[in-house]
Amino acid sequence: MINIFEVNETNTMIEQENLDVRTITLGISLLDCCDADLDVLNRNIYDKITRLAHDLVSTGREIECEYGLPIVNTRISVTPIALVGGRACRCPEDFVTIARTLDEAARDTGVNFLGGYSALVSKGMTKADRDLIRSIPGALSSTERVCSSVNVGSTRTGINMDAVKLMGEIIRETAEATQENNSLGCAKLVVFCNAPDDNPFMAGAFHGVTEADAVINVGVSGPGVVKHALEGVRGENFEVLCETVKKTAFKVTRVGQLVAQEASERLGVPFGIVDLSLAPTPAVGDSVAEILEEMGLESAGAPGTTAALALLNDQVKKGGVMASSFVGGLSGAFIPVSEDQGMIDAVNRGALTIEKLEAMTCVCSVGLDMIAIPGTTSAATISGIIADEAAIGMVNQKTTAVRLIPVIGKDVGDTVEFGGLLGHAPVQRVNPFGCEDFVNRGGRIPAPIHSFKN
């Protein structure tokens, strides 16, 4: 039974501590849309998305008004398009027509992003995979709401270094194709290792092939709520600190569970998962970096940062799994630089480098996220960074990702404005030493020995 204290507590979280439902994401399978005729395929895709997502945005607004819970985004994820378009698409340009169809469907349903312009190539690439990847710069430069992701490795299969090399080139080409908008296309492109099938957050969301025909996944976020809770236990020992984070994560996840169940019932679509991820925004008081500093660090990036983040990530997961039977996606702490004012401040004061961020990704739920780098950074260097992150994910049996933005015309010390939830970022220094000979070897890095579980 919910009592008046819990009602007031939730109201305070919403009004003063930036608690929100970050996204209601409708996952849609497009496997039954496949056709050898490209025009028929595009028509099937548009018709299915608009039919299933017709009431998604209005349903989100109804829940928001009825419960007083801010629902920031409504989004769609679809089956990886490399699988859907393989029969009909003969070249990268054919895949771009599908991207435009997805963009049209997203616009007509009112969602702000649609994810799933994706390829899963952790062990090898088909012709369709290569064509889709080659099409990404054209797709992201000619659409507004489409997001793209490529999974280049996994603990089970190892790392596809041919795909890693190709993605370094594609990120550079995407930056150049969207340079008039501060290379914004790269903010909608993420490279994964161990990508989850049910992630509701963009830009990495796609609807996995093991999922139902349609499913509702909800992402809930509350960095400000966690920080406020920790303000009440300053100076206490680590047991108290951990218990406080865990209890707060439990309360936040219950909010997401409520919204997910309501959306599922009203849309007539099965409930999938709740993703409790501390996803920061540029808003004051909505920062993961500030949580770390509240734990006792002078600045994010100081010695002890990785340990503090590991504690935070673990306690968020422990609290979340007690609040819902279906916790999934990424569920942990995000550290996107441009979307977290505390991270931005840490970079500007010289406390936080790309190398330190890489160390932090060993213990959090994502990877090097929303980091602006000089526009002159080579494709090989970008590939090397991707390989490093993929290795962390592969060996540690966790999801890692890279969303780097080489901003054409910008250099270290410049600041880039992306707008909205994407925020702004200082351009960070990249290690100047080369890795071309390593990246150009080709082939695969084998899976680690502990991947053999059978």
Side-chain angles (χ1 to χ4, degrees):
M1 179 68 70
I2 297 174
N3 59 43
I4 190 66
F5 172 78
E6 292 172 312
V7 172
N8 290 334
E9 186 178 45
T10 303
N11 285 339
T12 300
M13 290 179 182
I14 294 168
E15 294 171 2
Q16 300 177 23
E17 300 163 16
N18 298 307
L19 172 64
D20 62 53
V21 174
R22 190 57 50 84
T23 180
I24 299 175
T25 300
L26 174 62
I28 301 174
S29 172
L30 300 182
L31 292 176
D32 58 350
C33 297
C34 295
D35 196 278
D37 185 294
L38 185 58
D39 291 334
V40 173
L41 172 62
N42 276 302
R43 184 165 63 250
N44 290 346
I45 290 172
Y46 177 85
D47 289 346
K48 184 166 187 181
I49 292 174
T50 53
R51 173 171 55 84
L52 291 178
H54 181 267
D55 296 323
L56 177 61
V57 173
S58 60
T59 298
R61 288 173 182 158
E62 289 171 5
I63 296 171
E64 184 176 46
C65 292
E66 187 171 331
Y67 288 94
L69 287 168
I71 297 174
V72 180
N73 302 296
T74 43
R75 296 167 171 172
I76 295 169
S77 63
V78 298
T79 308
I81 292 299
L83 301 176
V84 178
R87 289 181 64 199
C89 296
R90 302 289 182 264
C91 61
E93 290 72 24
D94 287 347
F95 275 105
V96 173
T97 69
I98 298 179
R100 291 171 180 155
T101 297
L102 295 172
D103 200 48
E104 183 181 0
R107 183 181 64 248
D108 291 350
T109 54
V111 300
N112 63 337
F113 283 124
L114 186 152
Y117 196 77
S118 306
L120 310 179
V121 294
S122 63
K123 199 171 183 180
M125 290 183 281
T126 65
K127 181 181 183 301
D129 292 327
R130 287 184 180 275
D131 284 346
L132 180 130
I133 292 171
R134 287 290 185 194
S135 77
I136 288 172
L140 296 184
S141 63
S142 62
T143 59
E144 294 180 2
R145 309 183 190 210
V146 171
C147 293
S148 181
S149 60
V150 177
N151 189 71
V152 298
S154 74
T155 299
R156 187 63 179 165
T157 63
I159 302 170
N160 183 346
M161 288 300 294
D162 293 329
V164 168
K165 177 185 177 183
L166 180 56
M167 285 312 301
E169 298 167 359
I170 293 301
I171 290 171
R172 281 268 341 157
E173 292 175 20
T174 302
E176 292 164 359
T178 58
Q179 61 181 299
E180 293 182 359
N181 293 317
N182 285 327
S183 301
L184 186 62
C186 295
K188 298 184 287 180
L189 172 59
V190 59
V191 184
F192 275 115
C193 178
N194 290 323
D197 285 356
D198 53 7
N199 169 26
F201 287 95
M202 299 297 168
F206 63 85
H207 187 72
V209 295
T210 61
E211 298 284 330
D213 192 55
V215 69
I216 288 289
N217 297 320
V218 168
V220 64
S221 182
V225 179
V226 175
K227 179 179 181 294
H228 179 79
L230 294 184
E231 289 172 358
V233 295
R234 286 177 182 168
E236 297 287 351
N237 62 32
F238 281 107
E239 286 78 3
V240 173
L241 178 66
C242 291
E243 195 68 16
T244 302
V245 174
K246 188 165 59 177
K247 287 180 178 178
T248 305
F250 177 89
K251 296 171 184 176
V252 171
T253 306
R254 292 299 289 173
V255 172
Q257 175 87 358
L258 170 66
V259 171
Q261 289 175 335
E262 283 293 323
S264 171
E265 183 177 336
R266 297 182 190 201
L267 290 168
V269 173
F271 161 50
I273 58 94
V274 175
D275 185 329
L276 171 58
S277 288
L278 298 182
T281 71
V284 174
D286 202 24
S287 164
V288 169
E290 290 178 2
I291 296 175
L292 304 179
E293 291 164 6
E294 184 58 42
M295 290 183 182
L297 302 175
E298 182 179 355
S299 171
T305 295
T306 305
L309 183 60
L311 181 156
L312 176 64
N313 203 63
D314 182 57
Q315 298 307 312
V316 164
K317 290 180 184 294
K318 287 175 178 174
V321 297
M322 293 300 293
S324 173
S325 297
F326 299 100
V327 173
L330 296 165
S331 287
F334 289 2
I335 52 172
V337 173
S338 77
E339 299 172 11
D340 187 318
Q341 187 58 52
M343 294 288 179
I344 295 168
D345 293 341
V347 171
N348 285 332
R349 67 173 70 101
L352 192 59
T353 64
I354 290 180
E355 288 75 17
K356 182 60 178 179
L357 284 162
E358 183 181 300
M360 293 164 68
T361 66
C362 296
V363 299
C364 74
S365 289
V366 282
L368 296 172
D369 195 14
M370 287 302 293
I371 297 174
I373 59 176
T376 55
T377 306
S378 70
T381 294
I382 295 170
S383 294
I385 295 171
I386 293 170
D388 286 342
E389 272 302 301
I392 290 171
M394 175 185 71
V395 171
N396 291 297
Q397 304 178 69
K398 67 181 291 294
T399 300
T400 51
V402 172
R403 188 162 47 151
L404 295 177
I405 307 167
V407 186
I408 305 301
K410 301 292 185 181
D411 208 341
V412 176
D414 293 333
T415 297
V416 185
E417 186 69 45
F418 299 118
L421 287 176
L422 298 177
H424 65 280
V427 178
Q428 293 185 243
R429 175 188 174 276
V430 174
N431 191 311
F433 293 91
C435 59
E436 288 90 347
D437 290 346
F438 178 76
V439 169
N440 288 335
R441 283 179 176 272
R444 286 191 292 131
I445 294 178
I449 188 65
H450 58 254
S451 68
F452 300 106
K453 302 279 189 182
N454 290 335

